[in-house]
Amino acid sequence: MKKETQEKGWIRRIPLHIAPPSLKDNTADVDRLAKAIKRATDIRDVAIDFFFAKKIPSLLREYKYRVQAVVYEGSLSWHLAGLYPLDGDHSIYGIAADLGTSTIALRLIDLTTGEVKDETTFLNPQIEMGQDILTRIHFASQDGGLQMLQAVLIDRLNKEIGRVTERHGMEPDSLVGICAAGNTTMSHLFLGLDPYWICREPYIPSINRFDVIFAARLGLSIHPYAPVLVMPNVGSYFGGDLIAGILASGMTRRAETSFLVDVGTNAEVVIGNRDWLVGCAGAAGPALEGGVTRMGMMAGPGAINKVLLDPDSGRLHLETIGRKPPMGICGSGLIDLVAQLFLAGMIDFRGEYVESRCGSRLREIDGIKHFIVVPSQDSATGNELTLSQKEIDSVIRSKAAMYTILSTITQMTNVSVKEISQFYIAGTFGAYMDARSAIDIGMIPDLSLDIYKPLGNSSLAGATMALLSRAAKEEIYNIRDRVTYVELNVNQEFMTLFGAAKCIPHTDRSLFPSVKEWNLG
Amino acid sequence: MKKETQEKGWIRRIPLHIAPPSLKDNTADVDRLAKAIKRATDIRDVAIDFFFAKKIPSLLREYKYRVQAVVYEGSLSWHLAGLYPLDGDHSIYGIAADLGTSTIALRLIDLTTGEVKDETTFLNPQIEMGQDILTRIHFASQDGGLQMLQAVLIDRLNKEIGRVTERHGMEPDSLVGICAAGNTTMSHLFLGLDPYWICREPYIPSINRFDVIFAARLGLSIHPYAPVLVMPNVGSYFGGDLIAGILASGMTRRAETSFLVDVGTNAEVVIGNRDWLVGCAGAAGPALEGGVTRMGMMAGPGAINKVLLDPDSGRLHLETIGRKPPMGICGSGLIDLVAQLFLAGMIDFRGEYVESRCGSRLREIDGIKHFIVVPSQDSATGNELTLSQKEIDSVIRSKAAMYTILSTITQMTNVSVKEISQFYIAGTFGAYMDARSAIDIGMIPDLSLDIYKPLGNSSLAGATMALLSRAAKEEIYNIRDRVTYVELNVNQEFMTLFGAAKCIPHTDRSLFPSVKEWNLG
């Protein structure tokens, strides 16, 4: 197992017994090391950064020419990433990182066994400089802004990496690789690249395919010559996080066609199989990412993420993340809630509250109907949590946008929805989303429930795969090059489809045969 | 001509009309540039240093996507060295450098035409920290010593490069390449590599084959991403200057066997042809490099570099470099002087003064015979310039060492001296040395005079060739890999040969049939 992982890796540890120099073999130290690596492996040429090379003669002597060399395959050649004495434990580790706009997740991985040693998540410190991507791009264009955005991120990463390595009694020098996935803007900010043109027509990044560079060049406190691999982008709206997700889903290794959806303010959608891949991104509105005005929140402790309405008593059963008193509702909870309200006839097919059904739970505030989800005495905030008519409308717009994007892309690729073998839903949203509810409100096609697969943090999963495997790393670039990115033209036809999708579950009821309202008389 | 030089070069200028980004082609800026280079040339992949890549988006926009890219072939791939607007004059230039222990020579070259625009020589500023290589290696081992040796050199190079570019009204940014040749220690000091082990058994350098790195990494004030190519070494005593000399001589391109000799305190000797190359280095003593005790000096203004003795009048005709009043005598002058004294019978075959022949020009000082070469009233110093018996002995030891090294290496390689088609003598010494005189004292074999060819600054000539031509750059590494370096074992046989060579011209007079003493009766 150990050996296998090593051979499959693009970061490799090579034990070397190097013949010390003699009058008969006076090959120079650095050349001697390069030669020894060549002899021990199938690596033809190993590049050694010039400043690292300067240290090699004394290191070789200190280790008495018995060393472990760590090498990695970069963009164009193999490179030296580290040099350790042969004796003693010198395990090598790496970090897989998901650089989310809001949340960052790091995973510490043993590169020889593939074992996950630790995992940690924390808020992106850039939030202080801008909640969303657009604000950060604006911030970056101010004097010193880009540098600051990069610095707070690198600084925080260093702190977290330091904490994790300390917890495991590791030397930071034993970390010899990082693989990071993020959306296009996050990748730019991580690398200190100007994101200015990402949000301006014709929306192009500085770089799509990033060079593998070494850690010291970013100021990362791991082995200075450790490689930093950042997942490539397809374009401004199709980033490395999604490519990592595609990799993690395995959809490009199967003959059958799959869907992959990452839902946020933008819905990113990929359809394809081992032969072709089409991706698009479209505005889904903030509703599904906890963005409804009053009670919406990101998935996190205290967020209502599951809702069940008892058909008999009419009572709501709520589940919160971490079983904490409810503070608000996240996207998956909202979908459940709207679905249950619809099935119970408490909202009609247009999403409008049916007063006769809602009874006392409905109240008018400032002339707008509100449904009381959590009375004030039960909520964590002390205020009642309500869902207004406006918020339902917002959910309906989001679900309609989602369904329209899916319809449009299947039409464009000439795929019948019935052909879809797997429907992956990425992220926290995917982990909590109830497919039954999402079908009930007509957000996703009415397919067999077992087709819907939550992917979890697929960005982190893909980064982990790419960190460990040479084949996976290559696949990342293959995926990137193969994705056909289509612009969703919001034209008349799109708007017609969108209009039809604004009913619950849909104007064309025959598309959702499995949706059954409760027969409550 | 212009085109040809470009195609043959490893530093190339590529005019590019890049299609600006559009909604239909939203390739990222850096990827767009790389793609355009690929399309316009046979270069498959071009590496762009990450920090250079950061500047590309704004440069492309500033130049409206109409650019000249300068690329170079590095150790493992092609790299971007510069980016200029397409319009206007943006000629590109390079520097060839001979990094001598004593003297540094720079040549400014137009990379598109191959034209030499300027040349300058100056003393190596490291002399302040150590006259010779050994002292400098010692200095480098002291705290901060290596950094200081590198800093004074880089600093001086920057000043000289600044002066030259200013003289020609060039921007330092238009310098996009440097090719430097030096002995192994000088190359180490230039690059800031520790030379400690060069002079300690088993005498190995830090690096023999240096990576091509970019100028900013050395602090050179030219285009920051311009390549710096340093000629590789064969070993501690066979440096890049000699490899450059071999390249410049062309000996590796001919079927006939040639000799190449670089005479200094160490005599470096190479013998070979297009099929094989053997090199060695041996101590020749300081005599031939101006190191005789009293009147010796390096070749330079005021140094006697040519001596003729009028057989009739017995008067000495002296020629000095720059036609200045004589200050001392350099190696070539010394060889002339000793040869003339021998031919005139003023010294015998053992090099001892013949009083009856020398007459009043011979004087005893502190018990040692001195020959007055320049009376005090004619010398630049106001003191008489004399040649002592001891100094003649020193010349004889040097010439005997030289001849013995040549004999030994021909024996080792099983070459008859008669087979030698060309005998190259490098450096200032080679430029001034009179082959007739050198044969007369038995320093070099008694071959036809037209076989002896001064090479001039062959290190600089080789660096120039390697700067301009891809084939020459490749040849440099071929030469390096093909040289068999032999240690000259100073064993009994060597000592016997050396003893026999200590006569003028030689104990075996039949080896020097062309040497004819004057018949002065």
Side-chain angles (χ1 to χ4, degrees):
Chain A
M1 167 64 190
K2 205 165 173 168
K3 189 147 190 291
E4 203 180 343
T5 311
Q6 273 287 290
E7 275 168 10
K8 286 183 176 171
W10 60 278
I11 305 177
R12 296 183 190 170
R13 186 171 58 166
I14 309 161
L16 294 170
H17 293 260
I18 306 174
S22 67
L23 282 174
K24 284 199 178 131
D25 175 12
N26 60 0
T27 306
D29 276 324
V30 176
D31 310 59
R32 182 174 296 267
L33 173 64
K35 237 188 210 174
I37 292 170
K38 233 184 273 189
R39 206 172 292 150
T41 62
D42 56 349
I43 295 166
R44 211 174 54 83
D45 267 311
V46 60
I48 302 176
D49 182 77
F50 180 65
F51 284 78
F52 194 7
K54 282 190 180 189
K55 298 179 184 164
I56 302 288
S58 59
L59 286 177
L60 285 178
R61 282 178 170 79
E62 187 185 334
Y63 304 155
K64 302 196 167 58
Y65 291 87
R66 295 162 46 81
V67 297
Q68 296 186 69
V70 176
V71 296
Y72 70 91
E73 192 179 28
S75 308
L76 296 173
S77 62
W78 286 83
H79 298 256
L80 188 70
L83 197 66
Y84 308 92
L86 189 60
D87 306 314
D89 172 36
H90 292 280
S91 295
I92 54 170
Y93 303 92
I95 298 277
D98 167 40
L99 305 176
T101 308
S102 315
T103 307
I104 291 173
L106 299 183
R107 204 175 255 178
L108 176 67
I109 296 158
D110 184 323
L111 292 181
T112 45
T113 62
E115 186 192 348
V116 175
K117 305 287 285 184
D118 210 333
E119 195 168 318
T120 179
T121 59
F122 47 92
L123 284 183
N124 187 331
Q126 295 172 333
I127 287 173
E128 277 184 44
M129 276 137 255
Q131 278 282 343
D132 56 51
I133 283 300
L134 280 181
T135 330
R136 287 186 212 165
I137 292 178
H138 178 70
F139 189 92
S141 70
Q142 296 171 316
D143 200 31
L146 174 58
Q147 289 71 21
M148 198 186 292
L149 282 162
Q150 185 188 24
V152 295
L153 177 59
I154 297 288
D155 191 52
R156 183 62 190 274
L157 288 171
N158 282 339
K159 277 204 188 95
E160 296 291 339
I161 291 170
R163 251 173 234 167
V164 168
T165 48
E166 211 183 300
R167 195 147 65 217
H168 294 267
M170 294 169 186
E171 294 293 321
D173 245 29
S174 64
L175 291 180
V176 293
I178 289 188
C179 183
N183 60 50
T184 304
T185 302
M186 275 309 302
S187 298
H188 273 59
L189 297 178
F190 174 55
L191 294 169
L193 292 166
D194 191 354
Y196 187 85
W197 295 98
I198 289 180
C199 64
R200 286 170 174 87
E201 210 183 308
Y203 313 108
I204 72 164
S206 287
I207 306 183
N208 273 330
R209 194 185 161 126
F210 309 105
D211 249 356
V212 176
I213 58 173
F214 56 83
R217 301 199 84 184
L218 288 180
L220 285 167
S221 306
I222 60 171
H223 192 294
Y225 297 99
V228 180
L229 170 65
V230 179
M231 299 280 168
N233 320 303
V234 174
S236 287
Y237 296 111
F238 198 117
D241 50 351
L242 200 51
I243 290 186
I246 295 171
L247 176 73
S249 76
M251 62 189 282
T252 54
R253 293 192 290 280
R254 281 193 302 272
E256 303 81 44
T257 302
S258 308
F259 250 128
L260 191 157
V261 169
D262 196 349
V263 183
T265 307
N266 262 302
E268 288 153 347
V269 173
V270 183
I271 185 169
N273 52 41
R274 68 179 177 207
D275 297 319
W276 56 269
L277 271 177
V278 172
C280 69
L288 304 177
E289 215 188 20
V292 294
T293 35
R294 289 166 57 101
M295 67 183 284
M297 66 181 283
M298 303 286 292
I304 300 166
N305 68 325
K306 247 180 168 23
V307 179
L308 258 176
L309 189 63
D310 185 325
D312 298 324
S313 66
R315 284 184 59 187
L316 282 172
H317 296 278
L318 308 175
E319 216 178 278
T320 61
I321 297 177
R323 311 226 167 245
K324 297 267 161 60
M327 293 176 61
I329 192 163
C330 68
S332 59
L334 207 52
I335 290 170
D336 268 6
L337 179 57
V338 175
Q340 296 284 296
L341 290 174
F342 171 69
L343 295 180
M346 295 163 89
I347 55 174
D348 63 17
F349 70 96
R350 291 164 307 174
E352 285 180 10
Y353 282 117
V354 179
E355 283 183 49
S356 60
R357 287 284 184 194
C358 296
S360 65
R361 298 195 82 138
L362 206 62
R363 184 181 316 152
E364 205 150 310
I365 305 172
D366 296 334
I368 295 164
K369 287 175 186 148
H370 281 250
F371 184 86
I372 299 159
V373 181
V374 181
S376 52
Q377 68 269 24
D378 295 340
S379 89
T381 60
N383 298 318
E384 55 188 10
L385 303 177
T386 68
L387 184 70
S388 73
Q389 184 62 60
K390 272 196 169 173
E391 289 167 339
I392 290 192
D393 295 347
S394 160
V395 173
I396 289 179
R397 273 195 305 276
S398 287
K399 80 95 187 171
M402 189 71 229
Y403 190 79
T404 309
I405 292 168
L406 294 172
S407 312
T408 307
I409 201 167
T410 45
Q411 272 183 22
M412 283 170 95
T413 54
N414 207 21
V415 170
S416 151
V417 167
K418 306 275 171 225
E419 293 170 44
I420 302 296
S421 72
Q422 312 276 343
F423 194 114
Y424 297 105
I425 303 163
T428 320
F429 177 80
Y432 293 121
M433 187 200 86
D434 185 84
R436 182 65 255 166
S437 293
I439 292 172
D440 285 338
I441 65 165
M443 185 175 110
I444 55 177
D446 193 355
L447 300 169
S448 163
L449 288 184
D450 58 8
I451 280 177
Y452 291 99
K453 300 262 163 71
L455 264 185
N457 191 338
S458 55
S459 171
L460 186 61
T464 305
M465 289 168 69
L467 177 68
L468 281 168
S469 149
R470 193 182 180 192
K473 175 170 165 260
E474 268 171 37
E475 181 64 7
I476 283 289
Y477 296 107
N478 287 340
I479 291 171
R480 195 216 91 83
D481 292 343
R482 282 171 45 213
V483 173
T484 307
Y485 181 75
V486 295
E487 282 294 333
L488 281 186
N489 284 317
V490 184
N491 53 20
Q492 190 50 52
E493 199 194 335
F494 186 93
M495 289 315 291
T496 307
L497 285 170
F498 180 67
K502 273 166 83 180
C503 285
I504 304 178
H506 196 272
T507 314
D508 182 357
R509 201 61 175 68
S510 72
L511 290 171
F512 289 86
S514 80
V515 178
K516 302 264 186 271
E517 293 98 321
W518 302 336
N519 194 0
L520 299 170
Chain B
M1 167 64 192
K2 203 162 175 173
K3 187 143 191 298
E4 203 179 341
T5 311
Q6 273 287 291
E7 276 168 9
K8 287 183 176 170
W10 59 279
I11 305 177
R12 295 184 190 169
R13 186 171 58 167
I14 309 161
L16 295 170
H17 293 259
I18 306 174
S22 66
L23 282 175
K24 285 201 176 126
D25 175 11
N26 61 358
T27 307
D29 275 324
V30 176
D31 310 58
R32 183 174 295 266
L33 173 63
K35 236 188 210 175
I37 291 170
K38 231 185 272 188
R39 204 172 294 151
T41 62
D42 55 350
I43 297 166
R44 212 175 52 84
D45 267 311
V46 61
I48 302 177
D49 182 78
F50 180 65
F51 284 78
F52 195 5
K54 283 191 182 187
K55 297 180 185 164
I56 303 286
S58 58
L59 286 177
L60 284 179
R61 282 180 170 77
E62 188 186 333
Y63 303 156
K64 303 196 165 57
Y65 292 87
R66 296 164 45 81
V67 298
Q68 295 187 68
V70 176
V71 297
Y72 69 92
E73 192 179 30
S75 308
L76 296 175
S77 63
W78 287 84
H79 299 255
L80 187 69
L83 197 66
Y84 308 91
L86 188 61
D87 305 312
D89 174 36
H90 292 279
S91 296
I92 54 170
Y93 303 93
I95 298 277
D98 167 41
L99 305 175
T101 308
S102 315
T103 307
I104 291 173
L106 300 182
R107 205 175 256 178
L108 175 67
I109 296 158
D110 184 321
L111 292 180
T112 44
T113 62
E115 186 192 348
V116 175
K117 304 289 285 184
D118 210 332
E119 194 168 319
T120 179
T121 60
F122 49 92
L123 284 182
N124 187 331
Q126 295 172 330
I127 287 173
E128 277 184 43
M129 276 136 253
Q131 277 282 340
D132 55 51
I133 283 301
L134 281 180
T135 329
R136 286 185 213 166
I137 292 177
H138 177 70
F139 188 92
S141 69
Q142 297 172 315
D143 200 31
L146 174 58
Q147 289 71 20
M148 198 185 293
L149 281 163
Q150 186 187 25
V152 296
L153 178 59
I154 298 287
D155 191 50
R156 184 61 190 274
L157 287 172
N158 283 339
K159 278 205 189 93
E160 296 291 340
I161 291 170
R163 249 172 236 168
V164 168
T165 47
E166 211 182 299
R167 197 148 61 218
H168 293 268
M170 294 170 187
E171 294 293 321
D173 246 29
S174 63
L175 292 180
V176 293
I178 288 188
C179 182
N183 61 51
T184 305
T185 303
M186 276 308 303
S187 297
H188 273 58
L189 297 178
F190 174 55
L191 293 169
L193 293 165
D194 192 354
Y196 187 86
W197 294 99
I198 288 179
C199 64
R200 287 167 173 89
E201 211 182 307
Y203 313 108
I204 72 163
S206 287
I207 306 184
N208 273 330
R209 193 185 161 127
F210 309 105
D211 249 357
V212 176
I213 56 173
F214 56 80
R217 301 199 83 184
L218 288 179
L220 286 167
S221 307
I222 60 171
H223 192 292
Y225 297 98
V228 180
L229 170 66
V230 179
M231 298 279 165
N233 318 303
V234 174
S236 286
Y237 295 112
F238 198 117
D241 50 351
L242 202 50
I243 290 186
I246 295 170
L247 176 73
S249 76
M251 62 189 284
T252 52
R253 294 191 291 278
R254 280 193 302 273
E256 301 83 43
T257 302
S258 308
F259 251 129
L260 190 157
V261 169
D262 195 347
V263 183
T265 308
N266 263 302
E268 290 153 346
V269 173
V270 182
I271 185 169
N273 52 41
R274 68 179 176 206
D275 297 319
W276 56 270
L277 271 178
V278 172
C280 69
L288 303 178
E289 216 188 19
V292 293
T293 36
R294 288 167 54 99
M295 68 182 286
M297 65 179 283
M298 304 284 291
I304 300 166
N305 68 325
K306 245 180 171 22
V307 178
L308 258 178
L309 188 63
D310 186 328
D312 299 322
S313 66
R315 284 185 58 189
L316 283 173
H317 297 278
L318 308 175
E319 218 179 277
T320 60
I321 297 177
R323 312 229 167 240
K324 297 265 159 65
M327 292 177 60
I329 194 163
C330 66
S332 59
L334 207 54
I335 289 169
D336 268 6
L337 179 57
V338 175
Q340 296 284 294
L341 291 172
F342 171 69
L343 295 180
M346 295 164 89
I347 55 175
D348 63 17
F349 69 96
R350 291 164 306 173
E352 285 182 8
Y353 281 117
V354 180
E355 283 184 49
S356 62
R357 287 283 186 192
C358 296
S360 64
R361 301 197 79 139
L362 206 62
R363 185 184 311 156
E364 205 150 305
I365 304 172
D366 295 332
I368 293 164
K369 286 177 186 147
H370 281 250
F371 183 86
I372 300 159
V373 182
V374 181
S376 52
Q377 68 270 22
D378 294 340
S379 89
T381 61
N383 298 318
E384 57 187 10
L385 303 178
T386 68
L387 184 70
S388 74
Q389 184 63 59
K390 275 196 167 171
E391 289 167 336
I392 290 192
D393 295 348
S394 161
V395 172
I396 288 178
R397 274 196 306 277
S398 286
K399 80 96 185 171
M402 189 71 232
Y403 189 80
T404 310
I405 293 169
L406 294 173
S407 310
T408 307
I409 200 166
T410 44
Q411 273 181 25
M412 284 171 96
T413 52
N414 208 22
V415 169
S416 152
V417 167
K418 305 277 171 221
E419 293 170 44
I420 301 295
S421 72
Q422 311 276 343
F423 194 114
Y424 298 104
I425 304 162
T428 320
F429 177 80
Y432 292 122
M433 188 201 83
D434 185 84
R436 183 64 257 165
S437 292
I439 293 170
D440 285 337
I441 65 166
M443 183 174 111
I444 56 176
D446 193 356
L447 299 170
S448 163
L449 288 184
D450 57 9
I451 280 176
Y452 292 99
K453 300 263 164 70
L455 264 187
N457 191 338
S458 55
S459 171
L460 187 60
T464 305
M465 288 169 71
L467 177 67
L468 281 168
S469 149
R470 193 182 179 190
K473 176 171 164 258
E474 269 170 36
E475 181 63 8
I476 284 290
Y477 296 107
N478 288 339
I479 290 171
R480 194 216 91 84
D481 293 343
R482 282 172 45 213
V483 173
T484 307
Y485 181 74
V486 295
E487 283 293 332
L488 280 186
N489 284 318
V490 182
N491 53 19
Q492 192 49 53
E493 199 195 334
F494 187 92
M495 289 314 291
T496 308
L497 284 171
F498 180 66
K502 275 168 79 181
C503 285
I504 305 180
H506 196 272
T507 314
D508 181 357
R509 200 59 174 72
S510 73
L511 290 171
F512 289 86
S514 80
V515 178
K516 301 268 187 269
E517 292 98 322
W518 302 336
N519 193 0
L520 298 168

